[in-house]
Amino acid sequence: MISLSDPEWAVEEVEWCIAKGAKVISLRNGPVYTRLGTTSPGAPEFDPVWARLEEANIVVAPHAGDDGYDFLGKMWEPWDEYGSFHVTPMRKVVTSQRAVPDFFAALVCHKVFERFPRLRVVSVENGASWVAPLLVRLFRGHAQTRGYYKKNPVDQFQEHIWVTPFWEDNIVELKAKIPVERIVFGSDWPHLEGVVRPLDFLETLETFNAADKRRIMRDNVAALTASANP
């Protein structure tokens, strides 16, 4: 688990991970907290971190956690105290998965993948319901700011970002938005998004052919880790 709050220290931590043979590192979804306030993970000061991760062929896997968006809940329920295992229905509505698409949008919009074209990022324990709305917003921003990107941001997302859907997500619809090679299986039971028996996830893939089922359940993530930090 790497923090970007201090870029120089983050590079040192990445070097330690590489030396230990790590193939995957995790980051927190959400803005980066620094001594001067918050900023984007795509800000230029983090380029040495992304550069080293790309050079070592490390897979970056942002994970759900305290994303720093509790201020949205406070706007609507200033009387409520937030806790890890205490989330009101309103707070769930206004904060749930808000930071996830913002984080991945920041990587695309702030041109991380244009500067580091071999970087691979896997969304872990974030589900997939946020993907389609984000792609709409990315394309709209692209259409309204002609010349900003070197490459269509939707294409960048589809090329560089892998997604781990929850079992309740519509994976057929997800496949219409990103290549099946970018969908990876994950189970975090006993968390709600997991399944007690991992292979039960196959029930959500009943309309997929055998090759695509194997890609999602095994081959995609196997290919990612096999080529990481050799």
Side-chain angles (χ1 to χ4, degrees):
M1 188 72 181
I2 301 294
S3 169
L4 296 178
S5 293
D6 182 329
E8 292 184 5
W9 179 71
V11 172
E12 293 178 9
E13 289 290 281
V14 167
E15 293 290 359
W16 183 89
C17 292
I18 294 170
K20 295 295 183 179
K23 294 178 178 291
V24 181
I25 64 98
S26 186
L27 296 175
R28 166 185 166 278
N29 292 311
V32 179
Y33 280 76
T34 73
R35 288 171 292 181
L36 301 178
T38 59
T39 189
S40 165
E45 57 262 37
F46 304 117
D47 277 5
V49 181
W50 298 119
R52 191 65 185 99
L53 290 168
E54 180 189 55
E55 181 182 37
N57 210 19
I58 296 290
V59 177
V60 181
H63 188 282
D66 183 352
D67 52 33
Y69 272 38
D70 188 49
F71 70 94
L72 291 173
K74 288 290 187 183
M75 292 173 66
W76 294 97
E77 293 180 338
W79 58 83
D80 184 65
E81 290 298 323
Y82 173 78
S84 297
F85 299 99
H86 168 69
V87 182
T88 68
M90 183 64 182
R91 192 173 295 258
K92 191 73 174 176
V93 169
V94 299
T95 65
S96 180
Q97 291 201 319
R98 291 294 181 95
V100 173
D102 289 354
F103 176 89
F104 288 98
L107 298 184
V108 177
C109 294
H110 296 151
K111 301 184 179 181
V112 170
F113 300 122
E114 291 190 3
R115 297 194 298 278
F116 306 102
R118 293 187 293 105
L119 195 63
R120 300 171 300 165
V121 183
V122 185
S123 171
V124 177
E125 200 183 345
N126 294 315
S129 61
W130 54 273
V131 172
L134 174 59
L135 295 183
V136 170
R137 294 196 295 272
L138 284 174
F139 184 78
R140 183 179 298 137
H142 169 53
Q144 295 174 352
T145 57
R146 288 293 183 184
Y148 177 79
Y149 295 103
K150 294 180 181 178
K151 186 176 184 179
N152 186 315
V154 174
D155 293 339
Q156 292 189 46
F157 185 101
Q158 293 172 338
E159 180 179 345
H160 294 277
I161 297 173
W162 281 249
V163 176
T164 305
F166 294 154
W167 65 267
E168 65 267 34
D169 288 328
N170 189 321
I171 305 179
V172 173
E173 292 182 358
L174 179 63
K175 184 185 175 184
K177 300 299 180 183
I178 63 175
V180 70
E181 291 80 8
R182 296 294 181 266
I183 303 173
V184 294
F185 162 74
S187 176
D188 197 28
W189 188 86
H191 285 190
L192 293 177
E193 64 273 12
V195 285
V196 177
R197 296 183 304 174
L199 287 180
D200 287 349
F201 192 85
L202 281 168
E203 295 176 9
T204 68
L205 304 176
E206 59 182 1
T207 63
F208 287 69
N209 62 43
D212 283 350
K213 288 178 181 178
R214 182 178 175 86
R215 289 187 183 97
I216 293 171
M217 296 298 293
R218 179 193 181 279
D219 290 354
N220 291 339
V221 72
L224 276 169
T225 54
S227 60
N229 193 17

